[in-house]
Amino acid sequence: MPVVPGPPEEVPEGRMLRTDRHEAAEGSLHRNCRDACPRALGLAFAILTYDNGMPFGSEGYWRIASMRADALVVMLIVAVCQAFATVSFQTVTANRIITPSIMGFESLYIAIQTAVVFLFGAAGVTMVAGTGQFIFQVLLMIGFAGALYGWLLSGRFGNMHIMLLVGVVIGGGLGALSTFMQRLLDPNEFDVLTARLFGNISNANTDDLPIVIPTVVIVSTLLWFRARRLNVLALGRDVCSNLGMNHRRETMIILLLVSILMAMTTSLVGPMTFLGFLIATLAYSLTDTYDHRLIYPVAVLLGFVVLSGAYFILRNVFYAGGAVTVIIELIGGLVFLVVIMRKGRL
């Protein structure tokens, strides 16, 4: 006898809504990536070839292109670090305004650079330029962040808000100490120091890339595979606990991974306060989803487009080298003010 098909299985309305929203978010991701990838490739090609000054195909042409390719690699590393670190940090802290810079990474970097010049003069800049000094700075920043997290998030009265406030206070104290030492410097020494205090692609030492690239790949991969846990963390402490997730343990792990990425990018190119906020805010608005596996790639693409665009404009229009922080701080600060005024609160 022929089998009579039964009535179609009813799909719960909530599941249909979630499926539709996820499919819409994936469609938005594909569109955004399709639009951003040509821009990123176009900017990379322009940086490699524009105003080379040597005949195409000559040895000098490829030597200049190779140097510019190193700058592109550095920009991609910075984009990955800032995108993964900022999005993860904002999820853990349940606040899309603050960035990992609030924990004092950049203030500690500035304090180290200033103290070296203050104690040893202009020649002290070379003392923090080698691979060993780079590793020391990275370990110092990670140790600083780890001690802060372990002190203020562990124990009976661990609290995220207290940790953030203490980070702001420590960052302000380090900033005041740096300012005091800078006022006592010789003008020539201060001029040498100032070049190190701006986020600049030219600050990157290519000898450090064999250390930076594997570390960034490993840490960002770990965050990628913890994306589903970050989706749960975004629901809040109570929901995490009800779902069987150890909220404090997951928070500590994510913050430690974020501190490694921030230590890498800050030690490599210097402070870039508003870059992470800018690309994370743009990624949220373009993806319109809470799924971190969709937010991360868009944020990385946007970060590379912003960095490469600022680098190209400053280098070929204003002839200001690779000090991309000049444009990024301006645009990022304006976006920050717009977001604050629209939300009406921090």
Side-chain angles (χ1 to χ4, degrees):
M1 295 181 60
V3 179
V4 179
E9 182 181 356
E10 295 184 1
V11 180
E13 183 180 353
R15 188 188 303 173
M16 290 180 61
L17 179 61
R18 288 193 297 271
T19 303
D20 292 342
R21 291 191 62 182
H22 189 73
E23 290 179 353
E26 287 187 341
S28 176
L29 171 65
H30 294 153
R31 289 192 300 272
N32 293 325
C33 290
R34 188 170 60 246
D35 294 338
C37 283
R39 293 183 174 89
L41 293 175
L43 285 168
F45 181 77
I47 290 173
L48 287 174
T49 60
Y50 182 79
D51 196 21
N52 188 293
M54 299 294 291
F56 179 78
S58 64
E59 182 180 354
Y61 180 90
W62 293 117
R63 183 174 299 173
I64 294 174
S66 175
M67 295 172 61
R68 295 180 178 182
D70 291 338
L72 289 174
V73 172
V74 171
M75 284 186 276
L76 181 59
I77 292 172
V78 174
V80 171
C81 290
Q82 291 283 351
F84 275 82
T86 304
V87 172
S88 303
F89 186 82
Q90 291 179 347
T91 298
V92 169
T93 57
N95 192 313
R96 289 189 171 183
I97 297 295
I98 60 178
T99 65
S101 300
I102 199 174
M103 299 308 300
F105 292 101
E106 296 172 356
S107 299
L108 181 59
Y109 170 85
I110 293 174
I112 293 172
Q113 300 291 327
T114 305
V116 169
V117 176
F118 179 78
L119 295 174
F120 303 102
V125 174
T126 60
M127 300 177 62
V128 290
T131 302
Q133 293 82 348
F134 173 82
I135 295 174
F136 172 75
Q137 282 190 102
V138 169
L139 292 178
L140 187 61
M141 291 182 187
I142 296 173
F144 169 77
L148 199 61
Y149 300 151
W151 173 38
L152 297 173
L153 289 181
S154 61
R156 184 178 178 183
F157 301 103
N159 188 285
M160 178 68 70
H161 298 94
I162 293 177
M163 183 199 72
L164 295 175
L165 288 173
V166 171
V168 171
V169 172
I170 293 177
L174 290 173
L177 179 62
S178 301
T179 303
F180 173 74
M181 289 188 290
Q182 289 169 15
R183 290 183 178 276
L184 300 179
L185 291 176
D186 179 84
N188 295 323
E189 296 174 348
F190 180 76
D191 185 59
V192 172
L193 173 65
T194 303
R196 300 286 303 176
L197 300 186
F198 285 97
N200 195 324
I201 301 300
S202 301
N203 287 343
N205 186 357
T206 55
D207 293 337
D208 301 330
L209 294 183
I211 299 173
V212 175
I213 293 176
T215 305
V216 171
V217 170
I218 292 172
V219 174
S220 57
T221 302
L222 291 174
L223 285 173
W224 174 266
F225 283 112
R226 304 189 83 85
R228 298 187 187 279
R229 293 177 176 268
L230 280 164
N231 295 342
V232 178
L233 282 174
L235 300 175
R237 179 187 295 271
D238 295 336
V239 176
C240 287
S241 300
N242 290 335
L243 293 176
M245 181 182 293
N246 189 329
H247 183 272
R248 181 175 297 174
R249 177 176 174 273
E250 288 299 323
T251 299
M252 293 280 288
I253 292 174
I254 298 299
L255 289 177
L256 182 60
L257 295 176
V258 167
S259 67
I260 295 174
L261 291 179
M262 288 302 299
M264 286 292 170
T265 180
T266 304
S267 299
L268 187 65
V269 299
M272 292 189 179
T273 306
F274 283 108
L275 176 61
F277 171 80
L278 177 61
I279 61 179
T281 302
L282 294 175
Y284 296 144
S285 62
L286 291 176
T287 55
D288 192 25
T289 180
Y290 287 88
D291 190 348
H292 288 73
R293 293 200 174 190
L294 302 180
I295 297 174
Y296 281 145
V298 174
V300 172
L301 270 175
L302 289 171
F304 183 78
V305 169
V306 170
L307 279 171
S308 56
Y311 182 84
F312 182 82
I313 292 172
L314 283 170
R315 191 175 185 87
N316 298 288
V317 178
F318 297 104
Y319 302 100
V324 293
T325 188
V326 175
I327 290 182
I328 291 172
E329 299 298 303
L330 175 62
I331 299 176
L334 292 175
V335 172
F336 180 81
L337 292 177
V338 170
V339 171
I340 289 293
M341 293 176 67
R342 288 181 62 183
K343 293 184 66 174
R345 61 184 176 84
L346 289 175

